[in-house]
Amino acid sequence: MISNDIVDKIKDVMRGANVLESKEERLCYSYDATRQEFLPDLVVRPASTYEISEILKIATANSIPVYIRGAATGLTGGCVPIKGGIVISLTRMNRIIEIDEKNLIAVVEPGVITYDLHREVEKKGLFYPPDPASFQICTIGGNIAENAGGLRGLKYGVTRDYCLGLEAVLATGEIINTGSRTLKCVTGFDLTSLLIGSEGTLAVITRVFLKLLPLPEKKITVSAYFRNIDDAANTVSEIISSKIIPVTLEFMDNDTIRCIEQYLKNIYPEGTDTILLIELDGKAEVIEREIEQVRKTCEKCGAFFCAVARDDKERAILWKARSSISPALYQIAPKKINEDICVPRSVIPEILRRIKKIGEKYKLPIPCFGHAGDGNLHVNIMLDPAVYNIKEAEKAVNEIFENTLELHGTITGEHGIGNTKIKYLEMEVGHDSIRIMKEIKKTFDPAGILNQGKMFE
Amino acid sequence: MISNDIVDKIKDVMRGANVLESKEERLCYSYDATRQEFLPDLVVRPASTYEISEILKIATANSIPVYIRGAATGLTGGCVPIKGGIVISLTRMNRIIEIDEKNLIAVVEPGVITYDLHREVEKKGLFYPPDPASFQICTIGGNIAENAGGLRGLKYGVTRDYCLGLEAVLATGEIINTGSRTLKCVTGFDLTSLLIGSEGTLAVITRVFLKLLPLPEKKITVSAYFRNIDDAANTVSEIISSKIIPVTLEFMDNDTIRCIEQYLKNIYPEGTDTILLIELDGKAEVIEREIEQVRKTCEKCGAFFCAVARDDKERAILWKARSSISPALYQIAPKKINEDICVPRSVIPEILRRIKKIGEKYKLPIPCFGHAGDGNLHVNIMLDPAVYNIKEAEKAVNEIFENTLELHGTITGEHGIGNTKIKYLEMEVGHDSIRIMKEIKKTFDPAGILNQGKMFE
């Protein structure tokens, strides 16, 4: 509980508006995409860096937990207020301040929706590549906090690759500027990269300087159908070895395809076991040549059917199944543990074999799909609490992570740690790195108010 | 001075070899490309992570300064042992451990020469883009420590963009692993990026995981000659606005050209005031089309002559002048202060105008050249101590930096802070960021042994 005195101070900062106290209002800020729910004591919706700085000073002085919230689409509990306290929602800070066409730079507030930025820059023939699955509703601030990836990561990288600089407020209220409005900058330690992916535990990001690219001329998509996973995995290696880097190289395994089939009916040719969805972009003459090469590689490696889409309408048909995975999965079980391991792409067949074995051992369906090009796999341990034992599912997760690390992978490619993966972090990064991370956290946030209970024990 | 007892302990770790004590030997490890000289008390040349860990434990226990040294090509004093102590040279750790063609990853030790890596990966049709000017002699470890850029930065970014993970030894001897062998990784804070560009102040890098790309099919180079700087600067903006991103977009100003002319004689057409050197790479059919577009843009914007090079021999002719800048500059004055500011590329003409005015005010020649594409300019304040006052030159540097920051630039795009720019760091990053950086330093290196006297006061 926050005392009336402190609530009044916060209301003063906010000039009486955008401070939400009723239970109904607070409930709207209690959950995220993990379906966890924790009720905050107070919700504040600031519109300026100054307001955020003043609120943080009050919170630090009184050791009140603070949780920063964008669109709450995170998959590891990054924004849920597990210790109550104050939720600061940044959705009112949603201005695209500038699109600098001469320098290919955008300056935005953290509450800007990723899709809105996509559309605005594309109107000017420019391109902001990061596209997490939730891009139509998630915010740039959340993308920065989680270092969001997306479907275009193979060719274009992740959010960190596009963030040149930040304005951020420390837990103690000081405003810092990191990085620069320039493409290169080596003044001191790279605090920009340190804040990116720090999941709201170090500072509140209030302004973002993003690098843009010229919009590619054209896109072509191929969907290739295989009778077994090994042929599909070989195809991925062959495409990359032939020096072609697609924008997107997605795969769906047999379990995933069966779920989609149940959901959409008769969408795939008979005998489909694994699907690759491959998208190229670039200059028209190059990708026409390359897509032909990709199609031939697919067929040589065992694809029994390839569909090519050259315009948006055709592409929408090929993408429909990929976009339906989430609702389709919920058809086979009401709950899922959604992990996003990442492995060197050459060991994808091996990790998938091991995951299937783990699934058999614990009698759990584990459909897998994801970004085969960069080795980032979405592993879905499907749970029906009426049938399956959640403890068994957790053992399965543990074994999947152990196998991932053994194959030189990472336990999370783009979802982050939040509160759901805390107990696994040390498996990967080790005790000494965690000690250093905790000390860095203390430097930025001495009272430990920011995102309490996340990232570390 | 280091006591005999401690020297003996270090010799034990090194099994009696590769510990250099004589003055003649130590002198070889006393300088860098800034021409500063400080004699270390001891030089150690370890060949393993274990040896480095043991030496650092001894140094921390006895508060002995430690300076890590690669090829000593740094331009801000990053490796010079200004407080004496131990120099650890990493040149024996020069193995390319693995080039993983399936996953496009290289695993190397820090002493590998950048050019050796270029050549080895190119043999396999792969590409490691970072190419600082010293690439033929500098080391990957030094590139990581400084976050080195280079001529291909405009299209391909800098060292940080290619480093997936590190093995590093803390000042207290613990060995940590950061990042992953995967293209995506969000487990905890990004310690990889924090170590990159930390200039040897946080930890000793002992192994590096690098991302590779497919080698581009073809390169074409254009050299364009202008009668004034504004036309050249407009050309840069026009090329980028036309959605072409060259690999390299270098410029040389009038003062630089005069120096080269004195040095090489009759190399440029009469009336040349500014030169752009533009290189495109990619698929043959695309760059043939684009180079034509670039040539037309140059001519439209005022270039009075364009030379195109399609093979290595022709290219070498165009590049000869660019490669001669350094020796050519020393013809007009025996000493130079070499700054590497970076500005948003649209303000290049403005910053150059201001630099010329500052040069006139202090009666100092200031030839400028560099990476126009990413706004990273090499500003050379030429000094003849017999004629010019060094204090005046420092005032000029200060004014150049003030103007750079006013135009939203940074005081260093790729050279770093070292000991030569310490007093300017706060101008750019501010007091609060420096406080945080210093606390991070203390976390990694509690006894403050690593690169004492660098980065901060």
Side-chain angles (χ1 to χ4, degrees):
Chain A
M1 281 299 298
I2 301 174
S3 73
N4 288 339
D5 186 37
I6 291 170
V7 173
D8 285 345
K9 276 188 192 163
I10 291 171
K11 281 186 181 164
D12 278 352
V13 171
M14 297 295 296
R15 298 182 189 194
N18 289 297
V19 179
L20 314 181
E21 296 176 88
S22 77
K23 192 172 175 191
E24 295 73 11
E25 287 173 312
R26 287 182 290 132
L27 265 173
C28 303
Y29 296 83
S30 64
Y31 64 90
D32 77 354
T34 58
R35 304 185 176 193
Q36 299 179 82
E37 270 191 48
F38 297 91
L39 198 63
D41 298 312
L42 196 72
V43 175
V44 192
R45 303 175 64 239
S48 74
T49 305
Y50 167 79
E51 288 169 351
I52 292 171
S53 166
E54 292 302 309
I55 296 163
L56 290 178
K57 282 179 199 165
I58 296 168
T60 280
N62 297 281
S63 293
I64 301 167
V66 170
Y67 295 89
I68 308 304
R69 187 182 178 88
T73 56
L75 290 164
T76 53
C79 76
V80 288
I82 63 176
K83 310 267 179 182
I86 303 168
V87 162
I88 296 183
S89 166
L90 295 180
T91 48
R92 285 179 67 225
M93 293 181 73
N94 64 350
R95 288 182 305 151
I96 295 175
I97 296 165
E98 190 185 345
I99 296 171
D100 175 349
E101 290 179 74
K102 281 197 176 155
N103 295 301
L104 306 192
I105 285 170
V107 185
V108 306
E109 289 184 331
V112 168
I113 291 174
T114 309
Y115 189 41
D116 289 345
L117 181 64
H118 285 163
R119 283 188 302 191
E120 288 306 312
V121 304
E122 284 172 22
K123 278 183 199 162
K124 298 177 191 290
L126 299 175
F127 185 37
Y128 175 69
D131 63 338
S134 55
F135 74 92
Q136 291 181 309
I137 49 170
C138 66
T139 65
I140 295 291
N143 296 172
I144 298 275
E146 302 289 327
N147 189 23
L151 297 163
R152 302 195 279 230
L154 172 58
K155 179 166 175 179
Y156 291 108
V158 295
T159 302
R160 180 174 289 118
D161 300 312
Y162 295 87
C163 185
L164 300 172
L166 296 168
E167 177 192 81
V169 187
L170 304 182
T172 38
E174 297 91 342
I175 298 159
I176 62 169
N177 286 282
T178 72
S180 174
R181 228 186 134 107
T182 55
L183 292 176
K184 290 171 171 175
C185 175
V186 289
T187 38
F189 300 156
D190 183 4
L191 300 184
T192 309
S193 292
L194 187 60
L195 292 179
I196 299 168
S198 67
E199 304 188 10
T201 63
L202 294 182
V204 182
I205 288 150
T206 48
R207 189 164 290 202
V208 184
F209 296 84
L210 295 169
K211 181 172 100 166
L212 305 173
L213 296 179
L215 189 64
E217 245 176 38
K218 198 176 169 172
K219 269 190 271 190
I220 306 182
T221 309
V222 180
S223 196
Y225 303 82
F226 296 85
R227 296 203 200 281
N228 66 71
I229 185 110
D230 285 338
D231 288 351
N234 281 341
T235 308
V236 172
S237 293
E238 283 282 313
I239 291 170
I240 310 278
S241 301
S242 70
K243 317 276 184 268
I244 293 173
I245 303 282
V247 185
T248 295
L249 213 173
E250 294 289 292
F251 91 104
M252 286 164 262
D253 76 352
N254 189 283
D255 286 342
T256 306
I257 289 168
R258 297 289 80 80
C259 290
I260 298 172
E261 275 276 275
Q262 274 182 40
Y263 186 69
L264 295 175
K265 311 286 180 208
N266 300 321
I267 183 166
Y268 298 124
E270 176 127 1
T272 304
D273 176 273
T274 308
I275 297 172
L276 293 181
L277 192 61
I278 305 157
E279 197 154 278
L280 302 183
D281 74 358
K283 304 288 175 186
E285 67 265 45
V286 173
I287 62 169
E288 284 290 353
R289 185 183 70 175
E290 287 186 342
I291 207 79
E292 193 46 32
Q293 213 177 324
V294 165
R295 204 183 50 74
K296 279 186 188 151
T297 304
C298 290
E299 287 172 1
K300 194 190 78 183
C301 293
F304 67 92
F305 180 66
C306 284
V308 177
R310 282 191 166 70
D311 62 30
D312 284 346
K313 206 176 140 195
E314 290 175 351
R315 190 175 306 113
I317 297 169
L318 296 188
W319 274 99
K320 190 179 176 193
R322 174 65 180 82
S323 318
S324 309
I325 293 178
S326 236
L329 289 183
Y330 282 116
Q331 303 268 305
I332 61 162
K335 235 177 118 80
K336 60 174 180 168
I337 301 178
N338 174 352
E339 300 299 352
D340 78 313
I341 60 167
C342 192
V343 293
R345 97 193 120 228
S346 64
V347 300
I348 291 176
E350 179 60 23
I351 191 73
L352 287 175
R353 266 192 294 275
R354 295 190 188 186
I355 290 170
K356 291 296 151 197
K357 268 195 196 154
I358 293 165
E360 285 160 19
K361 176 172 164 190
Y362 292 105
K363 299 194 175 57
L364 289 162
I366 311 185
C368 297
F369 64 94
H371 321 312
D374 53 28
N376 190 194
L377 310 183
H378 294 293
V379 176
N380 301 275
I381 298 112
M382 303 310 298
L383 284 178
D384 184 344
V387 185
Y388 309 116
N389 186 338
I390 292 191
K391 284 244 150 79
E392 297 289 292
E394 284 186 353
K395 279 187 205 161
V397 169
N398 211 64
E399 283 186 32
I400 291 169
F401 285 168
E402 278 169 3
N403 280 281
T404 301
L405 294 173
E406 203 181 296
L407 295 170
H408 303 291
T410 172
I411 64 168
T412 174
E414 52 187 20
H415 293 173
I417 302 298
N419 66 335
T420 64
K421 290 195 199 174
I422 287 178
K423 61 181 166 190
Y424 305 110
L425 181 63
E426 191 169 333
M427 280 173 79
E428 178 169 334
V429 307
H431 172 263
D432 289 312
S433 288
I434 289 192
R435 178 176 59 76
I436 284 176
M437 289 179 194
K438 281 183 175 172
E439 287 184 37
I440 291 173
K441 159 83 175 161
K442 211 178 283 173
T443 295
F444 278 85
D445 177 16
I449 60 165
L450 289 175
N451 221 358
Q452 251 184 44
K454 307 295 171 65
M455 186 92 76
F456 317 110
E457 304 277 3
Chain B
M1 280 299 297
I2 301 173
S3 73
N4 288 339
D5 186 38
I6 292 170
V7 173
D8 285 345
K9 277 189 193 162
I10 291 171
K11 281 185 182 166
D12 278 352
V13 171
M14 298 297 295
R15 300 182 188 193
N18 289 297
V19 180
L20 313 180
E21 296 176 88
S22 76
K23 192 172 174 189
E24 294 73 12
E25 287 173 312
R26 288 183 287 131
L27 265 172
C28 302
Y29 296 83
S30 64
Y31 64 90
D32 77 353
T34 58
R35 305 185 175 193
Q36 300 179 82
E37 270 190 48
F38 297 91
L39 197 64
D41 297 312
L42 196 71
V43 175
V44 192
R45 303 176 63 238
S48 74
T49 304
Y50 167 78
E51 288 169 352
I52 292 170
S53 166
E54 292 302 308
I55 296 163
L56 291 178
K57 282 179 199 167
I58 295 168
T60 281
N62 297 281
S63 292
I64 301 168
V66 170
Y67 294 90
I68 310 303
R69 185 181 180 89
T73 56
L75 290 164
T76 53
C79 76
V80 289
I82 63 176
K83 309 268 180 181
I86 303 168
V87 161
I88 296 183
S89 166
L90 296 179
T91 48
R92 286 179 68 225
M93 294 182 74
N94 63 350
R95 288 182 305 152
I96 295 175
I97 296 165
E98 191 186 344
I99 296 172
D100 176 347
E101 291 179 73
K102 280 195 178 157
N103 295 301
L104 306 192
I105 285 171
V107 185
V108 306
E109 289 184 330
V112 167
I113 290 174
T114 309
Y115 189 41
D116 290 345
L117 182 64
H118 286 163
R119 282 187 302 190
E120 288 306 311
V121 305
E122 284 172 22
K123 279 183 198 162
K124 297 175 191 292
L126 299 175
F127 184 38
Y128 175 69
D131 63 339
S134 55
F135 73 93
Q136 290 181 310
I137 49 169
C138 65
T139 64
I140 295 291
N143 296 171
I144 299 273
E146 302 289 327
N147 189 22
L151 296 163
R152 302 195 279 230
L154 171 58
K155 179 165 175 181
Y156 290 108
V158 295
T159 303
R160 182 175 287 118
D161 300 312
Y162 294 87
C163 184
L164 300 172
L166 296 169
E167 177 192 82
V169 187
L170 304 183
T172 38
E174 297 91 342
I175 298 159
I176 62 169
N177 286 281
T178 72
S180 175
R181 227 187 135 104
T182 54
L183 292 176
K184 291 171 169 175
C185 175
V186 290
T187 38
F189 300 155
D190 183 5
L191 300 185
T192 309
S193 291
L194 187 59
L195 292 180
I196 300 169
S198 67
E199 305 188 10
T201 63
L202 295 181
V204 182
I205 288 150
T206 48
R207 191 164 288 203
V208 184
F209 295 84
L210 295 170
K211 181 171 102 168
L212 305 173
L213 297 179
L215 188 64
E217 248 175 36
K218 198 178 170 171
K219 271 190 268 190
I220 307 182
T221 310
V222 180
S223 196
Y225 302 82
F226 296 86
R227 295 201 200 281
N228 65 71
I229 185 107
D230 286 337
D231 287 352
N234 280 342
T235 307
V236 172
S237 294
E238 283 283 312
I239 291 170
I240 309 277
S241 303
S242 70
K243 315 277 184 268
I244 293 173
I245 304 282
V247 185
T248 295
L249 214 173
E250 294 285 302
F251 92 104
M252 287 164 260
D253 77 350
N254 189 285
D255 286 340
T256 306
I257 290 168
R258 296 291 79 81
C259 291
I260 298 172
E261 276 275 276
Q262 274 181 39
Y263 186 68
L264 295 175
K265 312 284 180 209
N266 301 320
I267 184 165
Y268 298 125
E270 175 127 3
T272 303
D273 176 273
T274 307
I275 297 172
L276 293 181
L277 191 61
I278 306 157
E279 197 154 277
L280 302 183
D281 74 358
K283 305 289 177 187
E285 67 266 45
V286 173
I287 61 169
E288 285 289 351
R289 185 183 70 176
E290 287 185 343
I291 208 79
E292 192 47 31
Q293 215 177 321
V294 165
R295 204 183 50 74
K296 279 188 189 151
T297 304
C298 290
E299 287 171 1
K300 194 189 80 184
C301 293
F304 66 92
F305 180 65
C306 284
V308 177
R310 282 189 168 73
D311 62 31
D312 284 346
K313 206 176 138 194
E314 290 175 350
R315 190 175 307 112
I317 298 168
L318 296 188
W319 274 98
K320 190 178 174 192
R322 175 66 179 81
S323 317
S324 309
I325 293 178
S326 235
L329 289 183
Y330 282 116
Q331 303 267 306
I332 62 162
K335 236 178 117 79
K336 60 175 180 169
I337 301 177
N338 174 351
E339 301 298 352
D340 78 312
I341 59 168
C342 192
V343 294
R345 96 192 122 232
S346 64
V347 300
I348 291 177
E350 179 60 22
I351 191 73
L352 288 175
R353 265 192 294 275
R354 294 190 189 187
I355 290 171
K356 292 295 152 196
K357 267 195 195 154
I358 293 166
E360 285 160 19
K361 177 173 165 190
Y362 292 105
K363 300 194 174 54
L364 289 162
I366 311 185
C368 296
F369 64 94
H371 321 312
D374 52 28
N376 190 194
L377 309 183
H378 294 294
V379 176
N380 300 274
I381 298 111
M382 303 310 298
L383 285 178
D384 184 344
V387 185
Y388 309 118
N389 185 338
I390 291 191
K391 284 242 152 79
E392 297 289 291
E394 285 187 352
K395 278 188 207 161
V397 169
N398 211 65
E399 282 186 33
I400 291 169
F401 285 168
E402 278 170 2
N403 279 281
T404 301
L405 294 173
E406 202 181 296
L407 294 170
H408 302 291
T410 172
I411 64 168
T412 174
E414 51 187 21
H415 293 174
I417 301 298
N419 67 334
T420 64
K421 290 195 198 173
I422 287 178
K423 61 181 167 189
Y424 305 110
L425 181 63
E426 191 169 333
M427 278 173 79
E428 178 169 336
V429 307
H431 172 264
D432 289 312
S433 288
I434 288 192
R435 178 176 58 75
I436 283 176
M437 290 179 195
K438 282 183 175 174
E439 287 184 38
I440 291 173
K441 158 82 175 162
K442 212 178 281 173
T443 295
F444 278 84
D445 177 16
I449 61 164
L450 289 175
N451 222 357
Q452 251 184 44
K454 308 294 171 66
M455 187 91 77
F456 316 110
E457 304 277 2

